[in-house]
Amino acid sequence: MSKWAMVIDLDKCTGCGDCIAACKIENNIAIVDPEEANSGRVMFWIEMVSVYEGEFPNIKIKRFPKPCFHCENPPCTKVCPVHATYKNDEGLVGQIYHRCIGCRYCMVACPYTVKVFNWYEPEWPVEFRKCFNPDVSVRTKGVVEKCSFCAHRLIKVKEEVDLEGRDIQDGDYMPACAESCPADAIYFGDLENKESKVYNLAKSSRAKREMENLGTEPKVVYLSKRE
Amino acid sequence: MKLNVVNVLIPIIAIVFIFALWVLFAGQSPIIQPISYNHKVHIEEAGLECIDCHKYAESMTRASIPNIDLCEDCHGDEPISKSPEEKKLIEFIEQKQNIPWKQIYSVPDHVYFSHRRHVVIGELNCSNCHGNVSELTAPAQYPFLIPSMGNCIDCHKQLKITNDCLACHF
C-alpha cells in the first residue's frame, strides 16, 4: 500500500506563493472578505508562513509553505466525534465535508493549525462560478476543511493506470501545488516506493520534520541547510 | 360551550395524514420526458448500442445524454417512422432547439461518480444500475436503482470494492 508524502525543499523555495494560488483554484477554496481575513478567518489549504529573525536592519526572513501534514499519527482524527476526519490506508488524512458537524475539535487538536472553518456561506464573484473545479465539492457554511493532498487527482490517476494495466509510477500523482511550483521545490510521491524521489529526499541529512517531538509523524518533510 | 372532540380531531388527523403522504411521496413524482423515446426500437431495429448515444460512458465520468446534434445523424428532414414522437424530434431539429431532457439519475455535488471506473474497470453492465433499458418502449419515469449511498455501499461490499470515504467524496 502506498504512503503519500510531500517534501518541500526550502533551499529552492522562493516564497513566491504560486502553490497557494494553484491550490486555491484547484480546490474551490472560498474567497474571504479582507476584513474577516485580517481577523484570522482567511482560508488557505497551503499557507506561506513567514518567520522574522533579528532586528532591523539585519532581518532574516524564513518563509515556508505549510499544507496539511497528513500525519501518520494524526491528533485531529482522534477527537472527531462523527468520523468526518480519518486516516485512510494510504496515509491520507481525509476530511468528509458532508459528515462534518462543525464542532472544530479537530482544529483545536491540530498542532500545525492547518484546518480552516467556513464561517460564512462562501460568496463567489460571478466569473469564478464558471470556473469551479468539478472534481472538488464546494463546501458549505459550518464545515471544517483542509488540504487533501489533492485526493481527487489520485482517484483520476488510479483510473488512468488501471486502464493502462500498470501500477502508479513516481510522478503520476502530483497535487496542484507541486505541479505549479516554478522552482520545483515541492516533491510528491510514495514513501513505500524505494525508487521514488520522495523516499530518498526524506532520508537526506537536510530533512526536517515540524514539531517532531509530538509524535505525530508528519508526512510533509522540509529540506533546509539552515536551522 | 362543550368542545366537540370529533370535530377537532378529524381535521387534525386529516392534516397529519396528508403531511405523511406528502413526506412519503414527495420527490417521487414520475419524470415525464419531452419526447417519449423508445429504447427498444433503437436497440432492436436500428441496432444501436448504449455507447452509440451515451458516448462518454466508457471514457468519462458522465455518460452524457444525446441531443439533436446526434439524433439528426439518422433523423433527417423526412421521418423514418410513423411515430408522432419522431415528428416532435424533427420539430426540435428544424428549430435547432435542444431537447430539454430531464435527468433521472444524478448524484450530489459532493459525490464523485465515474462511469468509466464502473463500466470499463469495474466491468459492470449498464443494466446493473439502469435496469433492462433495451426492453423499454417509453422512457423510465423513475430510476431503476436510486443512486443513494446505501445502494453504492451495498454493491461495494458485495463485490469487495473499497468503501474508503476518499474514494468518492472530496
Side-chain angles (χ1 to χ4, degrees):
Chain A
M1 192 57 81
S2 312
K3 278 257 175 291
W4 302 108
M6 184 180 278
V7 173
I8 304 175
D9 192 337
L10 297 182
D11 296 332
K12 278 186 175 181
C13 174
T14 59
C16 69
D18 222 12
C19 49
I20 301 171
C23 172
K24 197 116 181 157
I25 301 286
E26 175 78 12
N27 293 298
N28 306 330
I29 301 171
I31 297 162
V32 178
D33 184 60
E35 273 182 30
E36 292 299 326
N38 280 337
S39 64
R41 292 177 176 183
V42 68
M43 299 195 59
F44 289 122
W45 283 11
I46 182 166
E47 205 181 341
M48 191 62 73
V49 180
S50 304
V51 181
Y52 299 91
E53 282 173 358
E55 277 186 25
F56 184 78
N58 301 315
I59 296 176
K60 262 189 179 177
I61 306 171
K62 280 183 189 172
R63 301 195 81 195
F64 60 94
K66 188 182 72 172
C68 170
F69 287 70
H70 290 263
C71 310
E72 257 314 272
N73 186 18
C76 59
T77 59
K78 296 182 178 72
V79 295
C80 181
V82 290
H83 301 288
T85 181
Y86 75 106
K87 195 187 92 180
N88 79 358
D89 296 340
E90 291 175 270
L92 296 176
V93 177
Q95 181 84 27
I96 309 302
Y97 315 116
H98 278 254
R99 184 162 267 207
C100 176
I101 56 169
C103 68
R104 291 176 280 139
Y105 287 0
C106 57
M107 287 176 72
V108 178
C110 175
Y112 306 107
T113 61
V114 294
K115 294 202 165 192
V116 284
F117 184 65
N118 284 275
W119 288 94
Y120 313 96
E121 200 65 55
E123 282 176 24
W124 302 94
V126 184
E127 296 79 13
F128 266 77
R129 282 181 211 153
K130 290 179 190 161
C131 47
F132 280 149
N133 180 355
D135 295 332
V136 180
S137 56
V138 177
R139 277 78 60 189
T140 50
K141 178 184 173 182
V143 297
V144 173
E145 60 183 67
K146 66 160 197 80
C147 157
S148 63
F149 269 177
C150 289
H152 56 282
R153 290 191 172 203
L154 174 61
I155 298 298
K156 293 229 155 170
V157 167
K158 277 184 183 170
E159 261 182 54
E160 297 285 345
V161 298
D162 279 350
L163 285 172
E164 290 166 21
R166 61 176 176 91
D167 289 330
I168 299 182
Q169 283 161 5
D170 199 27
D172 278 344
Y173 165 35
M174 291 289 259
C177 54
E179 200 177 65
S180 70
C181 180
D184 290 331
I186 305 179
Y187 302 89
F188 191 83
D190 182 4
L191 275 184
E192 299 285 299
N193 177 4
K194 289 185 181 171
E195 284 163 18
S196 74
K197 260 187 192 169
V198 162
Y199 175 85
N200 293 307
L201 287 172
K203 284 179 154 185
S204 129
S205 56
R206 290 190 296 144
K208 292 175 182 67
R209 287 174 173 82
E210 196 77 352
M211 298 189 204
E212 217 169 353
N213 55 337
L214 296 178
T216 50
E217 297 175 43
K219 285 201 291 297
V220 173
V221 180
Y222 290 105
L223 299 181
S224 175
K225 279 180 194 163
R226 291 201 285 182
E227 274 306 307
Chain B
M1 201 179 95
K2 200 182 166 189
L3 197 67
N4 190 336
V5 179
V6 178
N7 278 356
V8 177
L9 269 183
I10 285 177
I12 291 176
I13 292 170
I15 290 168
V16 170
F17 184 69
I18 291 167
F19 182 72
L21 278 181
W22 179 71
V23 168
L24 276 174
F25 295 105
Q28 291 189 14
S29 53
I31 295 171
I32 308 295
Q33 299 292 355
I35 294 178
S36 179
Y37 179 84
N38 188 333
H39 275 93
K40 193 176 178 178
V41 167
H42 284 84
I43 292 168
E44 286 182 3
E45 289 182 25
L48 292 174
E49 300 270 340
C50 308
I51 194 76
D52 291 329
C53 298
H54 302 284
K55 279 188 160 178
Y56 306 113
E58 289 180 353
S59 55
M60 310 265 262
T61 50
R62 284 164 183 258
S64 78
I65 301 172
N67 220 309
I68 51 164
D69 49 349
L70 196 80
C71 303
E72 69 184 348
D73 286 352
C74 303
H75 299 273
D77 303 330
E78 291 299 312
I80 307 170
S81 68
K82 285 175 185 167
S83 161
E85 299 303 318
E86 197 192 355
K87 278 183 192 157
K88 282 190 207 169
L89 168 70
I90 289 171
E91 269 175 39
F92 275 112
I93 294 173
E94 279 172 358
Q95 289 168 8
K96 290 188 177 162
Q97 200 185 344
N98 272 338
I99 309 160
W101 295 121
K102 289 171 188 159
Q103 202 175 348
I104 296 187
Y105 298 89
S106 62
V107 288
D109 170 55
H110 60 278
V111 178
Y112 173 79
F113 177 87
S114 162
H115 271 89
R116 180 172 71 168
R117 183 155 60 150
H118 287 82
V119 177
V120 184
I121 302 166
E123 294 177 357
L124 289 183
N125 289 323
C126 305
S127 59
N128 286 96
C129 302
H130 298 289
N132 195 359
V133 177
S134 58
E135 289 300 318
L136 291 180
T137 51
Q141 294 181 347
Y142 301 95
F144 172 75
L145 191 76
I146 297 169
S148 66
M149 190 159 134
N151 282 332
C152 298
I153 297 270
D154 280 350
C155 194
H156 275 226
K157 271 186 185 165
Q158 246 175 39
L159 300 174
K160 293 186 179 146
I161 309 291
T162 175
N163 265 336
D164 180 17
C165 310
L166 276 181
C168 308
H169 302 290
F170 18 76

